Amino acid sequence: MSKRVLVGMSGGVDSAATAYLLHQQGYEVAGATFVLWSGEETEESKCCSVDDVEDARYVCSQLGVPHYVFNYKDLFRRTVVEPFVEGYRQGRTPNPCILCNRHIKFDAFSRRARELGFDYIATGHYARVTRDPESGRYQLRRALYPEKDQSYVLYHLTQEQLSMFLLPLGDYSKEEVRQIARDSGLVVAKKPDSQDICFVPDGDHAAFIGRYTGEAPKQGYFVDQQGTRLGPHKGIARYTVGQRKGLGISLGKTMYVSRISSADQTVTLVEDESLLFRDSLRAEDVSYLSIPPLTAPRGAEIRIRYSQGTAKGEIIPQEDGSVLVQFERPQRAPTPGQAVVFYDGDLVLGGGTISGD
């Protein structure tokens, strides 16, 4: 009897190719599309549109497999949108895609799949799952082609989730996936990839937060390192550590955001970019994925941004469950609210949320 797999389908080419490949491999496939956001607060913000649902449904009809639609709007609002809004209000730069993966695409989705009698879940992420033959522990690894690797946004997965998680795209390049979609006649073969935060398609997260909360941004000031006021700003949600463009103030010289304080609504600017570099950071809400929780320092390759390479460093576990990360060479602007992920070669050790120096 063939194993049953429920594929999370966004209406895009990656998830469609995932369903096709698993169907070809002999799995009993069904597709599931999540309704997460309908843009109630704004006319322009739309996620999981009717077109996306219909594209996923049409691909399933092409493959001759069932298609489900799951309404996760309330859960998405509670676990993704509200922490996103609150993070910016606290002077952080949250990553809503990681929150969505954690709470919706793997936690809620895997539990629903189990309830429906499926053996596995699958998505169109570019990463790989293996199993250590000695310990029996499931492990997450980078995609074979690093330019498309998405392991950074999956560091929070649990052993139970990994045990039922299929990632057929981890061995393919993006162009190979598109070619598979074209060769198999999938209707979404030429559909462009989405780039923006799904519920903020115009990229203006500060304006979204204002619309969502119905509140005007709090008054605050740009200050220099000595605390001297340089001029008013438009609300701390508009800024992130390391930023230099779009500050909205003319100072006659290039300056960089080095610190954001929600306590007094100040944004500290520095002229010397070298002041943004840090030789350490602290991370909270740490997940150990492919290894047991650390009890002693361990060397690792550290990644502090999705679009950035790794840097060598050491992970030092703390008594409260957080970690101190020490870099061999200082890194530019580790940003509170963003993820830090630990690697050993292509193996994802785990990760956490950057909380400060």
Side-chain angles (χ1 to χ4, degrees), residues 4 42 69 98-99 214 234 247 259-260 280 295 305 315:
R4 303 182 70 208
T42 66
V69 178
I98 289 178
L99 291 174
K234 298 179 180 180
L247 297 179
R259 185 174 180 273
I260 301 170
S280 67
T295 58
R305 289 182 181 81
I315 316 164

Side-chain angles (χ1 to χ4, degrees), residues 121-137:
I121 59 170
T123 68
H125 287 94
Y126 288 78
R128 296 175 293 157
V129 177
T130 59
R131 194 174 189 185
D132 183 0
E134 294 184 6
S135 66
R137 193 176 185 91

Side-chain angles (χ1 to χ4, degrees), residues 300-313:
E301 298 161 53
I302 315 296
R303 191 174 182 181
I304 62 172
R305 289 182 181 81
Y306 179 79
S307 59
Q308 186 170 312
T310 59
K312 291 183 178 181

Side-chain angles (χ1 to χ4, degrees), residues 19-141:
Y20 170 80
L21 287 169
L22 292 171
H23 189 256
Q24 291 295 106
Q25 292 170 18
Y27 288 93
E28 184 180 338
V29 173
T33 303
F34 311 147
V35 177
L36 305 177
W37 188 258
S38 300
E40 299 94 338
E41 285 70 26
T42 66
E43 293 183 359
E44 74 274 12
S45 294
K46 294 189 182 296
C47 173
C48 312
S49 68
V50 172
D51 288 344
D52 291 332
V53 174
E54 288 305 311
D55 283 344
R57 193 192 310 277
Y58 192 87
V59 169
C60 286
S61 71
Q62 287 185 291
L63 299 177
V65 304
H67 178 255
Y68 299 85
V69 178
F70 298 153
N71 185 345
Y72 288 135
K73 288 164 65 175
D74 289 342
L75 182 63
F76 185 76
R77 184 186 299 274
R78 292 197 315 270
T79 63
V80 179
V81 179
E82 291 180 2
F84 171 84
V85 170
E86 185 59 25
Y88 271 106
R89 283 173 142 185
Q90 295 298 319
R92 295 187 165 204
T93 305
N95 190 321
C97 295
I98 289 178
L99 291 174
C100 184
N101 284 336
R102 184 174 200 164
H103 297 291
I104 310 290
K105 294 181 180 176
F106 298 103
D107 183 24
F109 182 40
S110 62
R111 286 188 281 108
R112 188 68 178 274
R114 288 288 197 200
E115 292 170 0
L116 293 171
F118 287 89
D119 303 291
Y120 300 104
I121 59 170
T123 68
H125 287 94
Y126 288 78
R128 296 175 293 157
V129 177
T130 59
R131 194 174 189 185
D132 183 0
E134 294 184 6
S135 66
R137 193 176 185 91
Y138 289 90
Q139 299 176 319
L140 182 72
R141 296 182 180 274

